[in-house]
Structures are given as C-alpha cells and as structure tokens.
Amino acid sequence: MDAGHTVTKAVLFDATGRAVARGSGPVPLKTPQPHWVERDMDDVWRTAFQAIAACLAEAGPDAGRAVAAVGLAGHGDGLYAVDEFGRPVRAGIVAMDTRAEPMLVEWRRTPVWSRALELSGTVPFAGSPAALLAWLARHEPGALVQARWLLSCKDWLRLRLTGAVATDPTDASASFTDLRRGGYSPELLDLYGLGALARLLPPVLACDAVSGTVTREAAALTGLIAGTPVVTGAHDVDAAALGIGGTTPGELCLIAGSFSINQVVSERPVVDPRWQVRHFVRPGQWMSMSTSPASVANLEWFLRVTGAPADQRYGVHEAIGREVEACL
C-alpha cells in the first residue's frame, strides 16, 4: 500500500514481483486557513482500507488468504498526531503545508540553521516535522498535551492495520535523527526547542522488520486475514527507488508525483542546504533528494479550477502514470 498526497494505492504482487490486482482512491486535501494543507485522518484510513478491499476483490475470492505480508509506503514529512488510544488529536498535516514558514525565518537568523544541517543532513522546510512541531508547540499546545505519538502517514495507516506504533529510518530521518550514527538526536531536539517532546517520537524499526500483524477489526474492513504480517515500510521516495531498481549509488531517479523529486543514493552523506540527505532503506546508505511541490498537485489544482469533472481529472492522472511507465 502506498499513501501519497493525492491518491492511496493498493497493489497485490505475486512471488515474482508481477502486479496481479490493484485498488485506489483519492484523499481530499483541505485548506481551512491560508497556508494550511490538512486531511481528515479517518478519511486517510477509510480510503486505505477501501483500496485494499478493492484490490483483493479484483484478485478473486479469498485472495486475502494468499497474502504473505503487507508492505507500506507513504508521503514523507507532515505530521499525524494521535493520543494514547491511537485516535487523532487533530487533522493530519501534509508536507505541502506552509504555516510554519515564520519558524524558518526565525531559525535562519540563528545558529540553528547551520547546526541542523550539520547534525541531520538537511535544513528544515515549512512542511518538515521539526517546523510543524515547533509551530504546534507555540500555537496549539493543547494538541501536544493530548498527543502520545507523532507519526508519518504510513505509520498512521500501520497503526490502524495492526494497533502497533513504529516508524522506520527513512521517515525518522526527516528531522530528528543523527545523520551519521542514526537514532534520535537529543541535541537536534534541543536545538529546535523540542527536547521535552522526545517522548512523542515512535520507536524506529528496520524497513523490512515485521512491526505488527493485521487485527481482526482491520481484517473485517480490508479482506486481509487477521494475523497477516505487516512490515514497517518506508518513505515513498525511498520505496520508489527500490521499486524501479534505482538503488545503485550514483544512479538518478526522477519522480513526478504530488512533489517533483530528483533523488540519488550514495554510500556516504553529501550535505548541502540545497537538498535533503536522509537514511536510505539499506543501512550504510543515504538518499539525497531535491524536492518541489510542483507536480501532480499543481495539475490537480489547475484541472479543479478549470472545472474538469472528477472522473476526467482522475483519468489525467492515470494517463500521466502510463506515460511515465512507458518512459521507464
């Protein structure tokens, strides 16, 4: 399952890697205030379990019994906060949100900027967890009092599938992990003034670790079998490189999704404020990426304001996907 900014997809693969069935659905984005880009977290889950159910229905009767495991990918950055019972404490915030831009203006005037780059391999941007968490601490402290875990998109969906809380190195390294040693960095958290909120960060497990199994409730909604293993998964940019075979160090991959992304895997971190450096799915490797929210999301906006019917908009997305597949 892959949960992007605009569409959530579920694909069933056989043991050779051949796709045999698919299901998908859009997840609406909301802008309740200027610069805010949010989504209802229950809608995110509803679209996900419906996509899985549609995929298994296409595969045929009892397809869920043949599923060996569930893998997860999802959009990076943003913030999905839940309480101790696993319920959202507010709407999910996605990476296209820019409400935290004033935090960046403040940080650029201080040593925070250069030290963050040195420690984490990236400077924060408005949609990064560091900036959003600092904004919430200042403007919505009540939400953080209620919160028990701060998750990424895929981690929220895994929580709903399994009841288990975790993240992986690729998503964890968005803001708060040590670039070279890995693991959460107390110095980074203190640098952003967020040291007291370290308790909200989820455990970090390997991308291919079994981090939970499908619950009875999730099985009833999806058609999967209760007890099916679910792995931790990865940030969708890393997962895309893995999926298309673009994992050789020095090999460039281009993604035309909600964000336009140029990425390359390396065996040592190459740090520069013009791009982000994060841990890759394989230990001892890093992924450098240059991103811009100027791809499918802009196309979706253009088609919406010009009045294109919803079915035509989705058809355009599919046509672009076919063109990209043909090029690859």
Side-chain angles (χ1 to χ4, degrees):
M1 182 168 62
D2 173 36
H5 278 104
T6 49
V7 180
T8 295
K9 292 81 65 180
V11 184
L12 182 65
F13 296 93
D14 66 16
T16 69
R18 182 178 62 93
V20 297
R22 299 170 177 82
S24 65
V27 183
L29 295 173
K30 301 177 181 180
T31 54
Q33 297 189 42
H35 306 291
W36 292 29
V37 188
E38 301 183 341
R39 62 203 331 191
D40 184 294
M41 289 174 58
D42 288 327
D43 282 347
V44 176
W45 167 234
R46 185 176 303 107
T47 300
F49 73 68
Q50 289 174 347
I52 295 173
C55 176
L56 294 177
E58 181 181 289
D62 295 325
R65 296 188 179 279
V67 174
V70 178
L72 292 161
H75 77 78
D77 299 290
L79 211 57
Y80 291 72
V82 300
D83 63 19
E84 61 181 314
F85 304 107
R87 296 297 307 147
V89 302
R90 67 173 323 284
I93 306 174
V94 304
M96 291 181 282
D97 193 283
T98 59
R99 75 185 73 187
E101 187 65 36
M103 307 301 304
L104 307 185
V105 173
E106 293 179 20
W107 288 341
R108 287 190 187 102
R109 298 169 180 162
T110 72
V112 168
W113 206 246
S114 59
R115 187 58 177 156
L117 180 65
E118 181 182 353
L119 289 172
S120 70
T122 182
V123 293
F125 72 100
S128 64
L132 290 171
L133 187 53
W135 188 94
L136 288 174
R138 179 175 298 182
H139 297 282
E140 294 185 16
L144 297 180
V145 171
Q146 297 178 56
R148 176 60 187 92
W149 300 108
L150 300 174
L151 306 174
S152 67
C153 182
K154 78 169 192 328
D155 300 330
W156 159 242
L157 294 177
R158 189 187 332 93
L159 174 62
R160 293 307 305 264
L161 275 171
T162 68
V165 173
T167 192
D168 79 288
T170 65
D171 266 331
S173 58
S175 284
F176 302 124
T177 62
D178 187 286
L179 172 65
R180 292 162 182 85
R181 296 192 299 269
Y184 293 124
S185 167
E187 184 179 351
L188 265 172
L189 287 158
D190 290 339
L191 185 70
Y192 294 125
L194 302 172
L197 300 177
R199 61 182 177 81
L200 302 180
L201 301 179
V204 181
L205 303 178
C207 295
D208 58 355
V210 175
S211 53
T213 59
V214 174
T215 65
R216 291 178 182 268
E217 178 187 12
L221 293 170
T222 60
L224 294 165
I225 300 302
T228 301
V230 180
V231 300
T232 315
H235 176 207
D236 59 2
V237 179
D238 297 78
L242 194 65
I244 66 173
T247 60
T248 301
E251 190 170 55
L252 179 69
C253 299
L254 178 89
I255 295 176
S258 300
F259 275 64
S260 176
I261 300 170
N262 300 310
Q263 63 170 4
V264 64
V265 176
S266 64
E267 293 182 330
R268 65 180 180 87
V270 182
V271 177
D272 190 290
R274 293 172 296 178
W275 58 76
Q276 304 170 48
V277 184
R278 301 188 183 184
H279 291 280
F280 191 51
V281 294
R282 296 185 183 127
Q285 291 186 332
W286 288 262
M287 182 194 67
S288 299
M289 63 177 184
S290 178
T291 70
S292 172
S295 194
V296 171
N298 279 7
L299 172 64
E300 174 72 16
W301 171 83
F302 173 78
L303 294 172
R304 186 171 64 249
V305 298
T306 56
D311 57 343
Q312 291 184 20
R313 295 203 300 268
Y314 190 65
V316 170
H317 289 305
E318 288 186 319
I320 290 174
R322 289 193 296 271
E323 291 296 326
V324 172
E325 287 179 357
C327 290
L328 294 174

